[in-house]
Amino acid sequence: MGRIIGVLNYKGGTAKTTTVVNLGAGLALRGERVLCVDLDAQGSLATYLGVHYTYSLAHLLLGQANPRTCIVRARDNLDLIAGDEGLLRAEGELWRIDNRLIARRVLVGRLRGLEDDYDYIILDFSPSASLLSESGLLYVRELIVPVAMNYLALIGTRQVIQTLKTIGRVHGHRVRLYLIVPTFYYARLRKDREVMETLQRYFADKVTAPIRASVKLSEAPSHRMSIYEYAPKSLAAIDYARLVERVFRDGQKRAKV
């Protein structure tokens, strides 16, 4: 059974989608079978990877398509279920379900069984709390939180932790905080070093090596490329490859248990 990982911060601009793309692409390059699922109505994942699709996650949630119909190939070993503005309507339909618990489990039911076909399923969450985000947290088993080097991103991280505590009281829910990924890091800036120290003080070994700020990383989406395709020798490619190695290594350890 594959690992189900969510990438979430309730603050925009933390490199959340960038992390989903480059973690997923890096694992795929290692031969792992990866499915990325976009829970954000902005549909950034499909845009980032230059993927064209007919059926999105919204069609799946509304019962208008099955999972296999919604899955499209993005790269070798890397598949995608796209998000788009249709998710706004889909979430509205979820709110119309009288039973909140049933509404939150629709996504779980629609995606059930895909973990048998993939080594990794990675969910790209919206930066705002929503019923769909709650549904995603009921599906994922591990959570990665990217944190930009500013105070507001730290607040978003605290909100994520509080949400995990709340959702953890739901019967049968098993999500855990897996990694904190510092992003947009400038080692020469005192502020960034202080934010890193704060993260390490509260989250210890859950904090990964930082993803350094990089012009190449900001340029890659406009070329519809992962950082490994666009600038494979860049600092950002090295940093994300290090993150991929950690996630992969942890998966290997888990498989041996």
Side-chain angles (χ1 to χ4, degrees), residues 203-225:
F203 299 105
D205 60 354
K206 291 185 183 296
V207 181
T208 71
I211 307 297
R212 288 166 286 187
S214 165
V215 173
K216 295 296 185 184
L217 194 59
S218 65
E219 292 174 345
S222 66
H223 295 271
R224 307 294 186 260
M225 293 181 180

Side-chain angles (χ1 to χ4, degrees), residues 34-37 71-75 77-81 118:
V34 182
L35 172 67
C36 294
V37 182
I71 293 172
V72 293
R73 175 63 56 87
R75 302 290 190 276
N77 296 321
L78 180 62
D79 291 346
L80 171 70
I81 296 180
Y118 292 94

Side-chain angles (χ1 to χ4, degrees), residues 108-123:
V108 177
R110 296 285 194 265
L111 296 178
R112 182 175 290 119
L114 290 179
E115 61 272 18
D116 296 328
D117 298 333
Y118 292 94
D119 300 303
Y120 293 87
I121 297 179
I122 306 175
L123 271 63

Side-chain angles (χ1 to χ4, degrees), residues 204-257:
D205 60 354
K206 291 185 183 296
V207 181
T208 71
I211 307 297
R212 288 166 286 187
S214 165
V215 173
K216 295 296 185 184
L217 194 59
S218 65
E219 292 174 345
S222 66
H223 295 271
R224 307 294 186 260
M225 293 181 180
S226 71
I227 192 60
Y228 317 110
E229 296 166 321
Y230 181 66
K233 296 182 180 180
S234 65
L235 293 178
I238 293 170
D239 292 345
Y240 269 112
R242 186 184 297 118
L243 175 62
V244 169
E245 174 61 27
R246 175 162 180 175
V247 173
F248 178 78
R249 186 175 64 246
D250 289 345
Q252 295 297 102
K253 290 178 181 177
R254 191 186 73 162
K256 293 178 181 178
V257 175

Side-chain angles (χ1 to χ4, degrees), residues 18 36 46 51-52 64 71 78 81 85 94 106 110 139 145 155 160 175 185 197 201 237 257:
T18 298
C36 294
V51 170
H52 301 284
Q64 298 171 348
I71 293 172
L78 180 62
I81 296 180
E85 66 277 2
L94 292 178
V106 169
R110 296 285 194 265
Y139 179 67
V145 181
I155 292 176
V160 171
V175 69
Y185 180 72
E197 291 171 3
R201 186 182 316 125
V257 175

